[in-house]
């Protein structure tokens, strides 16, 4: 069993419904301990045009060893051609929270 390395994975979706479908699938499969949803406004360039959209940002609390499965679920249930999927390492954290996170992931 690899050592526990906590990470946060972020993605954005076009709708809250899409975000919650992804989040609930990750929780049901014990690939995330917590998923947070924030409404944001994004400016970005897509196919040569500047766009501005309301989006839902998911912050997925998980472990590094689950990244590939998380990416697959996001890609399967995502409506974007090229979704943002970023994994951010957690360098430090409150130890009781990190123990809870590890336990929720079954690690």
């Amino acid at each position: 069993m690899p050592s526990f390395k906590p990470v946060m994975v972020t993605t954005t979706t076009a709708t809250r419904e899409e975000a919650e479908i992804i989040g609930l699938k990750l929780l049901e499969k014990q690939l995330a301990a917590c998923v947070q949803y924030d409404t944001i406004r994004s400016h970005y360039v897509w196919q040569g045009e500047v766009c501005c959209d309301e989006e839902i940002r998911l912050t997925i609390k998980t472990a590094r060893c689950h990244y590939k499965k998380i990416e697959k679920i996001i890609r399967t249930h995502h409506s974007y051609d090229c979704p943002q999927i970023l994994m951010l390492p957690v360098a430090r954290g409150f130890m009781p929270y990190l123990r809870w996170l590890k336990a929720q992931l079954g690690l």
Side-chain angles (χ1 to χ4, degrees):
M1 175 69 64
S3 65
F4 174 63
K5 295 181 181 171
V7 298
M8 292 191 300
V9 176
T10 64
T11 190
T12 56
T13 62
T15 67
R16 181 165 291 273
E17 178 183 35
E18 184 177 352
E20 289 183 4
I21 287 169
I22 291 168
L24 290 173
K25 291 211 176 284
L26 295 173
L27 291 167
E28 288 167 1
K29 294 184 181 293
Q30 211 173 2
L31 296 173
C34 175
V35 181
Q36 296 172 317
Y37 309 94
D38 300 299
T39 302
I40 61 170
R41 177 179 286 294
S42 297
H43 282 98
Y44 57 96
V45 177
W46 182 248
Q47 298 179 340
E49 292 187 33
V50 175
C51 303
C52 180
D53 290 305
E54 294 286 323
E55 294 184 294
I56 305 299
R57 178 177 47 218
L58 288 80
T59 303
I60 303 157
K61 281 90 174 273
T62 188
R64 182 176 170 183
C65 62
H66 291 324
Y67 177 79
K68 287 184 181 185
K69 290 178 182 177
I70 290 169
E71 181 183 291
K72 184 177 180 180
I73 287 173
I74 292 171
R75 291 181 62 219
T76 298
H77 299 283
H78 211 292
S79 63
Y80 293 172
D81 292 336
C82 183
Q84 166 204 293
I85 307 172
L86 301 172
M87 182 179 70
L88 309 167
V90 174
R92 294 184 72 166
F94 183 55
M95 285 309 297
Y97 180 83
L98 295 177
R99 283 192 292 272
W100 171 84
L101 176 68
K102 183 177 179 181
Q104 299 316 300
L105 298 170
L107 299 174

